[in-house]
Amino acid sequence: MSARILVVDDVPANVKLLEARLSAEYFDVMTASNGTEALAISRRAECDIILLDVMMPDMDGFEVCRRLKTDPATHHIPVVMVTALDSPADRNRGLEAGADDFLTKPVSDVVLIARVRSLTRLKMMTDELRMRAITSLEIGMQAPERSAVADTGKGGRILLVDDRESSYERLATILAAEHTIDVEPNPTEALFHAAEGNYDLLIVSLDLNNFDGLRLCSQARSLERTRHVPILAIADPENSTRLLRGLEIGVNDYLLRPIDKTELLARARTQIRRRRYTDHLRDNVQNSIEMAITDALTGLHNRRYMESHLATLAEQASIRGKPLALMILDIDYFKSINDNYGHDAGDDVLREFAVRVRKSIRGIDLACRYGGEEFVIVMPETDLHVAGMVAERLRRSIAGEPFAIHKGTKRIEVTISIGLTTLERKGEAVADVLKRADTALYRAKHDGRNRVVSQAA
């Protein structure tokens, strides 16, 4: 696993030491001797993780971190402060500035590399989501960066898994000042609780009685519903080796007892902010996918989706020896609706038409806007006779009730013509089925419209 690590320190000896350690693990190492240079490199997206010293002459590490985390272009880059400062106040100041971790020199190679690898996995996942979400920006969806920068990380839903009463009571009291807390003292029930609770953060004690806390963390990572929920592990100091193992299996952050109140809150906020940001990215990706295959006006699938999905449905029907019905629907005299009442009225008709189509077909049926006022409905495992009844029911649904236009101030009569056919020959080309349905539609229109015409294979 390779990543570009930016080492920021004004002491050349410190830089050389970190560079040697990281290069030995096959990371690409970049260096900067001051905060200004580090900010410039970060804004050019040239690094994946930043190892940041605190004591620097032009701008201290706290200020550098604050600027990184408040800049929409760099807030997602993990920052680890590596410094000789070791007081709880310094650590908390770094975490409050947005640092993902605060390591005190001298840092053991094992701890440093484990933390860098853990953050590398996180950064790569975030980068993949960011790359996929670029399409969302191109189609006008809002980027999540600015909301992520403004997010305080408060108001999260946290599940605390701890079977020591004195411990979980204290931790829950601290966290309740900023979040909604559920406590699960029974580790065997914790995974079910986590899967059902829609949590923003899991806090897991690794010192559970008669239960392996790391196994619980591993199970949470393997379960679909909890795979992306951040995990903050808590352990006694003698269990630091298990914490490093936890980082390898997907634990996001950790704390050693005795727990500092301010540090606990700061680390929880960091994880919740990151969870919300990645969730927003995933939502953007999903929405962009849906928009790419959905007609924006009617909410039905578009022609691109229909053409690709119809081929799959036809192949499945052929393999299983099942019929497949297809109908093309055309709104009669639609151009005159636009000409007489305006294009807004035409849009009103198309939207209401789509609603009535959905009410007339099954969940397994595929309804698409084929183009303009033409629509296609594909009905798996449906023969010509049954499809004809569905088509007639739909025709009556359209003709039987006027369509409201101009925000309901006017109602107009609308009818449709339907051409219907089925795929019955194994391996028949989809284009031939569409052409046959289109021919049936032409006959319906030629014979006077507002009717269903079937054409067998």
Side-chain angles (χ1 to χ4, degrees):
M1 182 188 303
S2 182
R4 296 163 298 178
I5 315 296
L6 175 60
V7 176
V8 188
D9 199 317
D10 64 322
V11 178
N14 292 340
V15 173
K16 290 294 185 184
L17 180 60
L18 283 173
E19 188 174 10
R21 289 177 175 179
L22 295 165
S23 296
E25 298 295 329
Y26 303 103
F27 290 106
D28 295 328
V29 182
M30 310 170 64
T31 64
S33 59
N34 56 69
T36 302
E37 186 180 356
L39 291 172
I41 292 172
S42 302
R43 289 192 185 107
R44 293 195 299 268
E46 295 179 0
C47 61
D48 295 308
I49 298 173
I50 301 171
L51 302 185
L52 179 63
D53 187 31
V54 171
M55 305 302 292
M56 294 184 295
D58 69 324
M59 184 190 310
D60 68 28
F62 299 124
E63 177 62 17
V64 174
C65 186
R66 187 193 66 78
R67 294 192 186 189
L68 287 166
K69 294 301 182 178
T70 55
D71 186 341
T74 59
H75 78 97
H76 62 286
I77 302 175
V79 176
V80 178
M81 289 190 164
V82 183
T83 175
L85 300 176
D86 61 356
S87 72
D90 290 322
R91 180 186 301 107
N92 292 335
R93 187 180 172 192
L95 295 171
E96 291 287 352
D100 294 82
D101 207 346
F102 192 100
L103 303 179
T104 302
K105 298 175 182 177
V107 181
S108 77
D109 289 357
V110 174
V111 171
L112 176 66
I113 299 304
R115 203 66 179 105
V116 168
R117 283 179 174 158
S118 171
L119 290 171
T120 295
R121 286 191 292 269
L122 178 65
K123 177 63 163 49
M124 288 181 172
M125 179 198 71
T126 304
D127 282 349
E128 183 176 353
L129 286 172
R130 282 166 57 84
M131 180 181 66
R132 292 182 180 181
I134 289 175
T135 304
S136 305
L137 305 182
E138 293 173 348
I139 59 178
M141 298 180 64
Q142 184 179 2
E145 273 71 21
R146 295 202 176 276
S147 60
V149 167
D151 190 355
T152 63
K154 298 180 181 180
R157 298 194 71 248
I158 299 176
L159 177 63
L160 172 61
V161 185
D162 191 344
D163 57 6
R164 298 186 196 176
E165 185 175 356
S166 60
S167 172
Y168 67 67
E169 285 183 349
R170 177 174 179 267
L171 295 177
T173 300
I174 294 170
L175 292 163
E178 297 184 356
H179 309 282
T180 300
I181 308 300
D182 290 337
V183 176
E184 180 51 79
N186 183 352
T188 61
E189 296 293 327
L191 194 63
F192 300 102
H193 199 160
E196 297 298 328
N198 191 29
Y199 290 101
D200 298 304
L201 176 64
L202 304 181
I203 299 180
V204 180
S205 170
L206 300 189
D207 306 302
L208 300 167
N209 291 319
N210 303 316
F211 198 91
D212 187 349
L214 281 183
R215 181 171 296 280
L216 176 60
C217 295
S218 176
Q219 291 172 336
R221 278 292 163 265
S222 64
L223 190 66
E224 179 64 29
R225 291 189 182 182
T226 55
R227 182 167 299 158
H228 302 299
V229 180
I231 300 173
L232 173 62
I234 294 177
D236 291 330
E238 59 268 23
N239 277 342
S240 58
T241 301
R242 282 171 54 77
L243 281 172
L244 297 180
R245 176 63 176 150
L247 291 175
E248 294 178 2
I249 65 174
V251 169
N252 299 80
D253 201 357
Y254 63 86
L255 277 167
L256 294 175
R257 292 189 172 94
I259 303 299
D260 179 83
K261 171 184 175 180
T262 305
E263 183 175 358
L264 172 62
L265 289 173
R267 291 186 183 273
R269 286 195 295 268
T270 295
Q271 295 304 321
I272 290 171
R273 277 196 300 267
R274 192 176 292 277
R275 155 78 172 193
R276 289 169 177 168
Y277 174 62
T278 54
D279 278 355
H280 198 155
L281 287 175
R282 287 191 186 92
D283 288 344
N284 274 13
V285 170
Q286 182 60 36
N287 289 337
S288 66
I289 292 171
E290 291 177 0
M291 291 178 72
I293 63 173
T294 303
D295 175 63
L297 180 63
T298 63
L300 301 177
H301 289 299
N302 58 21
R303 180 169 181 163
R304 178 194 305 172
Y305 180 82
M306 186 275 293
E307 289 175 343
S308 61
H309 196 55
L310 176 57
T312 302
L313 292 175
E315 181 181 3
Q316 290 176 348
S318 294
I319 292 173
R320 297 171 183 172
K322 300 289 186 178
L324 179 77
L326 183 146
M327 62 181 82
I328 300 181
L329 308 82
D330 185 271
I331 299 176
D332 296 330
Y333 304 111
F334 185 74
K335 183 177 183 300
S336 66
I337 296 176
N338 283 332
D339 291 343
N340 294 329
Y341 303 103
H343 288 278
D344 287 347
D347 290 347
D348 290 339
V349 169
L350 290 171
R351 280 190 288 263
E352 174 61 22
F353 178 78
V355 171
R356 298 190 194 186
V357 166
R358 287 195 192 93
K359 290 180 179 178
S360 299
I361 62 176
R362 304 167 300 179
I364 64 170
D365 298 332
L366 173 65
C368 306
R369 186 180 180 188
Y370 197 50
E373 67 272 22
E374 280 195 342
F375 296 79
V376 170
I377 297 176
V378 184
M379 306 182 70
E381 300 186 18
T382 306
D383 61 25
L384 197 62
H385 175 69
V386 173
M389 292 192 298
V390 174
E392 183 59 31
R393 182 175 70 232
L394 178 57
R395 185 198 64 78
R396 290 196 301 267
S397 168
I398 300 302
E401 183 179 351
F403 280 58
I405 60 173
H406 297 159
K407 298 182 179 179
T409 60
K410 186 181 290 293
R411 301 174 74 83
I412 61 174
E413 302 290 334
V414 176
T415 63
I416 58 171
S417 300
I418 301 176
L420 174 64
T421 191
T422 56
L423 169 76
E424 294 180 345
R425 291 201 314 273
K426 187 173 183 179
E428 183 180 15
V430 166
D432 293 340
V433 182
L434 282 167
K435 184 176 181 180
R436 193 161 57 248
D438 193 55
T439 300
L441 173 63
Y442 176 80
R443 283 178 47 205
K445 296 169 76 71
H446 183 269
D447 292 347
R449 293 181 167 82
N450 189 23
R451 65 192 63 224
V452 178
V453 171
S454 301
Q455 183 164 324

